[in-house]
């Protein structure tokens, strides 16, 4: 007989303690400001090495959108001591893998290699932290790659295009309104000097932190970090000015016409994110609301809108409680054949209204908690996921040491709090709605991902 969900949650939280015992965490800061966070996990002879920069697309300026992501590509194009592509070739030769990713809040680079190769990874990463070549010919080539990536990932994908347009309307002033990959016109006009300025502004040890997770001894990692990163000099960082989004004064609507098989509706409600782990309540309740609505196969959207009413072929909810900037709670989906986007919007609204009026049942909340907390805990079984967890929390200003406290706060959410946030934040003055009006599809072109795609 399956274990009741009410008994499963305490068991899941208990499992987090052995995981923490397997992976002790230590920290040190170099004189140049670089923080070193080491999590020892001796279950396999490998190591994840990640460098995180506190600079993402939200730090860009108008006319230079996309430069954070372009610079990420250029970081693989060589230094005076390691030519174009040599970084990744050496990682592969060491039996490892590497990649990088740019977000609104940060840019990060990683390698996962046998533990004996950690010193070489540090040497390579420290080298490109300060000595990037930024050759104009390589830049010209990479800009074309990024523009093709934008076409393939956004402009040729109706759901991505709708999300991009929705976000641009939901935010009027905050830089979250800009796509991470940048606007095409800006990409067409970016110059090597723009990338150089971004690199000089933000790629400094005092604007970065190093996360190492794996079969290592923390003192040895600190010594290696001092050897490779210690000689790099701290630099004056640009002053970040507040970028607060003004209050929304009424519902906003837009329609996007694009080739697609099905219509789609996306709804974006302004919502808070975690600013104080202990004192905040609403972000945790919103996480739980998302899980109640769409967190598992038996959640409300799947049960009501897809299976019972046959109103939608897809219906889901999405909310991230951690971000440097403002938050949004998304509802979206595609209507079934013969049904309209307006009908689906009404169906999504009806599900929220039901929570507002009637709340959520105790067993429903317990199941949502079990699913949500299990996902948070079990992902930490991977060394790479552990490093990601540390890095992402730190990037948004949440100390990684509070990870277990975040789980405890999720566990403590009550049905009354879920109902309260549904009533508080799901109101038209805080809503932006985007409809996809499907246009005829072009003939199949055999599209494939552009080469050198890093995400």
């Amino acid at each position: 007989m399956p274990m009741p969900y009410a008994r499963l949650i305490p068991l899941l939280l208990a499992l987090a303690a052995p995981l923490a015992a397997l992976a002790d965490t230590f920290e040190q800061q170099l004189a140049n400001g670089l923080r070193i966070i080491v999590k020892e996990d001796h279950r396999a002879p490998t190591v994840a090495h990640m460098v995180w920069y506190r600079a993402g697309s939200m730090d860009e300026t108008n006319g230079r959108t996309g430069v954070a992501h372009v610079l990420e590509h250029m970081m693989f194009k060589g230094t005076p001591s390691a030519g174009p592509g040599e970084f990744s070739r050496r990682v592969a030769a060491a039996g490892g893998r590497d990649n990088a990713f740019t977000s609104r809040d940060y840019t990060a680079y990683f390698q996962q290699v046998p533990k004996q190769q950690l010193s070489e990874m540090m040497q390579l990463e420290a080298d490109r932290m300060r000595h990037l070549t930024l050759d104009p010919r390589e830049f010209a080539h990479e800009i074309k790659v990024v523009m093709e990536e934008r076409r393939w990932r956004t402009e040729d994908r109706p759901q991505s295009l709708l999300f991009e347009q929705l976000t641009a309307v939901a935010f009027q002033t905050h830089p979250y309104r800009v796509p991470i990959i940048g606007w095409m016109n800006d990409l067409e006009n970016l110059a090597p000097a723009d990338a150089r300025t971004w690199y000089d502004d933000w790629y400094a040890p005092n604007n970065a932190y190093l996360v190492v997770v794996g079969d290592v001894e923390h003192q040895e990692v600190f010594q290696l970090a001092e050897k490779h990163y210690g000689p790099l000099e701290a630099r004056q960082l640009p002053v970040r000015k507040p970028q607060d989004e003004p209050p929304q004064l009424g519902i906003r609507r837009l329609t996007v016409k694009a080739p697609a098989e099905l219509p789609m509706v996306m709804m974006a409600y302004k919502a808070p994110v975690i600013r104080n782990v202990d004192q905040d309540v609403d972000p945790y309740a919103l996480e739980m609301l998302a899980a109640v609505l769409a967190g598992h196969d038996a959640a409300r959207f799947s049960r009501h809108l897809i299976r019972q009413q046959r109103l939608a072929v897809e219906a889901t909810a999405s909310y991230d409680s951690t971000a440097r900037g403002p938050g949004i709670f998304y509802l979206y989906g595609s209507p079934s054949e013969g049904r309209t986007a307006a009908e689906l919007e009404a169906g999504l609204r009806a599900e929220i209204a039901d929570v507002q009026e009637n709340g959520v049942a105790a067993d429903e909340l317990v199941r949502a908690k079990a699913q949500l907390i299990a996902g948070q805990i079990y992902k930490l079984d991977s060394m790479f996921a552990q490093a990601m967890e540390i890095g992402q929390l730190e990037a948004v200003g949440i100390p990684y040491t509070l990870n277990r406290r975040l789980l405890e706060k999720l566990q403590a959410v009550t049905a009354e709090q879920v109902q309260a946030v549904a009533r508080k934040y799901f109101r038209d003055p805080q809503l932006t709605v985007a409809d996809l009006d499907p246009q005829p599809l072009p003939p199949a072109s055999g599209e494939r991902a552009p080469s050198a795609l890093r995400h």
Side-chain angles (χ1 to χ4, degrees):
M1 178 180 294
M3 180 177 295
Y5 284 103
R7 292 171 53 197
L8 181 57
I9 295 176
L11 176 60
L12 289 171
L13 288 171
L15 285 173
L19 279 175
L22 283 169
D24 295 321
T25 308
F26 305 88
E27 183 176 342
Q28 189 175 88
Q29 184 163 335
L30 303 184
N32 59 17
L34 181 70
R35 288 177 63 208
I36 317 296
I37 303 169
V38 181
K39 197 170 187 179
E40 296 185 4
D41 189 332
H42 301 288
R43 290 173 291 172
T46 61
V47 62
H49 172 261
M50 304 188 76
V51 173
W52 297 72
Y53 293 94
R54 295 182 185 85
S57 63
M58 73 172 285
D59 300 296
E60 297 169 346
T61 57
N62 288 340
R64 294 178 175 83
T65 67
V67 68
H69 176 240
V70 170
L71 195 277
E72 176 217 308
H73 278 243
M74 292 303 298
M75 286 284 280
F76 293 85
K77 296 303 177 180
T79 68
S81 60
E86 184 176 342
F87 191 112
S88 294
R89 284 195 295 270
R90 288 174 64 175
V91 173
R97 67 186 183 99
D98 73 320
N99 213 323
F101 39 89
T102 305
S103 85
R104 300 179 303 183
D105 299 330
Y106 58 79
T107 310
Y109 302 82
F110 76 87
Q111 304 85 43
Q112 193 159 8
V113 294
K115 65 177 183 178
Q116 296 85 355
Q117 307 302 323
L118 177 59
S119 180
E120 182 181 9
M121 297 305 104
M122 286 192 180
Q123 182 269 318
L124 288 167
E125 200 68 80
D127 180 38
R128 67 177 178 181
M129 183 181 284
R130 183 58 274 159
H131 303 297
L132 195 63
T133 301
L134 281 170
D135 179 82
R137 291 170 298 180
E138 293 285 351
F139 184 87
H141 173 267
E142 212 59 29
I143 277 288
K144 293 178 181 178
V145 171
V146 174
M147 287 192 292
E148 182 58 28
E149 183 181 339
R150 177 181 163 79
R151 294 185 190 98
W152 181 71
R153 285 191 156 166
T154 301
E155 296 178 1
D156 294 340
R157 296 191 177 188
Q159 182 170 333
S160 299
L161 191 61
L162 186 67
F163 178 80
E164 180 180 270
Q165 293 295 308
L166 171 70
T167 305
V169 172
F171 292 116
Q172 289 188 328
T173 64
H174 195 276
Y176 276 6
R177 72 187 185 280
V178 172
I180 294 169
I181 201 167
W183 299 115
M184 184 63 85
N185 182 253
D186 287 351
L187 295 175
E188 291 170 343
N189 290 284
L190 280 181
D194 297 314
R196 172 62 66 183
T197 298
W198 182 265
Y199 179 72
D200 290 341
D201 281 349
W202 299 114
Y203 279 55
N206 49 314
N207 193 48
Y209 51 98
L210 176 66
V211 180
V212 176
V213 177
D215 187 18
V216 294
E217 299 294 335
H218 63 280
Q219 288 294 350
E220 181 181 354
V221 175
F222 293 154
Q223 292 169 7
L224 289 173
E226 182 65 54
K227 173 184 176 181
H228 295 296
Y229 293 100
L232 302 178
E233 294 183 0
R235 294 200 308 282
Q236 184 69 38
L237 300 173
V239 176
R240 287 186 168 103
K241 295 185 178 181
Q243 301 184 83
D244 295 331
E245 177 72 11
Q248 187 169 331
L249 303 178
I251 190 170
R252 300 170 186 165
R253 288 189 176 273
L254 65 146
T255 299
V256 173
K257 293 180 179 291
E261 293 181 357
L262 296 170
M264 176 173 285
V265 61
M266 287 188 176
M267 306 170 67
Y269 290 90
K270 299 288 177 57
V273 295
I274 297 172
R275 293 290 180 247
N276 186 301
V277 170
D278 278 317
Q279 295 179 12
D280 288 343
V281 173
D282 289 358
Y284 305 103
L286 287 163
E287 287 268 18
M288 207 56 64
L289 175 60
V292 166
L293 295 174
H296 51 90
D297 289 342
R300 290 191 175 205
F301 284 0
S302 294
R303 191 169 71 250
H304 297 162
L305 300 179
I306 297 177
R307 292 197 292 273
Q308 293 179 4
Q309 301 175 32
R310 300 188 182 278
L311 176 59
V313 294
E314 177 191 13
T316 193
S318 174
Y319 167 73
D320 188 347
S321 63
T322 59
R324 280 173 56 195
I328 281 186
F329 193 113
Y330 295 96
L331 308 175
Y332 56 95
S334 290
S336 301
E337 187 175 357
R339 310 300 289 270
T340 67
E343 288 178 294
L344 179 52
E345 179 186 336
L348 293 168
R349 285 176 174 270
E351 294 298 322
I352 294 293
D354 185 59
V355 176
Q356 292 171 331
E357 295 169 13
N358 304 311
V360 296
D363 61 338
E364 184 180 26
L365 181 60
V366 168
R367 180 166 189 172
K369 282 186 182 182
Q371 296 283 348
L372 187 59
I373 293 173
Q376 292 292 321
I377 290 175
Y378 289 144
K379 72 180 182 182
L380 299 182
D381 199 41
S382 155
M383 291 182 187
F384 177 74
Q386 291 177 67
M388 285 291 296
E389 183 83 359
I390 292 170
Q392 288 178 323
L393 289 176
E394 289 289 333
V396 299
I398 298 175
Y400 68 90
T401 53
L402 296 179
N403 181 45
R404 182 171 173 82
R405 182 60 180 148
L406 292 169
L407 293 177
E408 293 170 349
K409 292 283 285 187
L410 282 173
Q411 184 197 19
V413 171
T414 66
E416 291 76 17
Q417 290 168 344
V418 174
Q419 185 177 28
V421 294
R423 290 174 172 172
K424 183 175 181 180
Y425 298 108
F426 290 79
R427 301 182 297 109
D428 278 3
Q430 297 171 192
L431 171 64
T432 304
V433 181
D435 289 324
L436 176 67
D437 181 2
Q439 304 298 299
L441 292 168
S445 58
E447 286 183 307
R448 59 184 180 88
S451 60
L453 197 59
R454 289 211 158 266
H455 314 285

